[in-house]
Amino acid sequence: MYGYIGSLKAKPGHRDEVVSLLLRGAEGLRAHGCESYVVATSNSDDDTIWVTEVWQSEQHHAASLELPETRKTIAEAMPLLTGEFTKQETSVAGGLGV
Amino acid sequence: MYGYIGSLKAKPGHRDEVVSLLLRGAEGLRAHGCESYVVATSNSDDDTIWVTEVWQSEQHHAASLELPETRKTIAEAMPLLTGEFTKQETSVAGGLGV
């Protein structure tokens, strides 16, 4: 399984709006090979959002980025973001809930 | 819900042994308020392990660290680690699988 741990930073005051956008359609990802998708806000600053994902494969994740609903979400979220991102790609070994 | 995103670094050659230790007893965490616990290895270096967790509350997570089985795992893993850790604490907004 492929794992993705990313952070993105919202412009001041727009964090919760971005979180709502990211959560829209989360349940639908399962049909596209997503095993887990968690959206969270940082406890240490007011603007950082963390997204952690587990997919059946890297290809499933890549394909999901091309879905019309994903592209729409990205297009809506981008103007609300500062452009500061971090990203970690992993190989998921196992755990609880995956 | 409380989220934890942590990385730890194994001494060269010991990564898979640490992963096995971290996965031991993962299923049992559910009874202690854990919603998700994912152990993964970095795709960009040979020694880094990422652990992402979702708990019903920060208190549940803190209490889990005092469980005898957790303390045993930590004691066994520590000599295999370099001591380099990162940690992010979050408030989980939602998603798929939580």
Side-chain angles (χ1 to χ4, degrees), chain A residues 53-82:
Chain A
E53 310 177 27
V54 179
W55 294 82
Q56 286 170 18
S57 72
E58 183 170 356
Q59 290 68 36
H60 282 89
H61 178 248
S64 78
L65 298 176
E66 302 302 324
L67 294 171
E69 53 268 39
T70 307
R71 296 172 68 102
K72 188 163 180 290
T73 295
I74 292 170
E76 287 180 52
M78 284 303 282
L80 307 175
L81 302 173
T82 64

Side-chain angles (χ1 to χ4, degrees), chain B:
Chain B
M1 285 183 292
Y2 169 81
Y4 183 97
I5 300 169
S7 73
L8 45 165
K9 205 157 181 174
K11 291 177 181 167
H14 291 288
R15 185 192 69 183
D16 293 350
E17 196 178 346
V18 174
V19 166
S20 294
L21 286 170
L22 294 173
L23 288 175
R24 191 177 65 183
E27 283 299 326
L29 297 178
R30 193 184 300 276
H32 296 283
C34 186
E35 301 288 330
S36 174
Y37 174 84
V38 177
V39 179
T41 55
S42 174
N43 286 357
S44 53
D45 79 72
D46 288 340
D47 303 315
T48 300
I49 298 162
W50 288 90
V51 182
T52 56
E53 310 177 26
V54 179
W55 294 81
Q56 286 169 19
S57 72
E58 183 170 356
Q59 290 68 36
H60 282 89
H61 177 248
S64 77
L65 298 176
E66 302 303 323
L67 294 170
E69 53 269 40
T70 308
R71 296 171 69 102
K72 187 162 182 292
T73 295
I74 292 171
E76 287 180 53
M78 284 305 281
L80 307 173
L81 302 174
T82 64
E84 294 159 88
F85 299 94
T86 69
K87 157 178 142 168
Q88 299 289 336
E89 295 181 290
T90 68
S91 300
V92 174
L96 172 69
V98 290

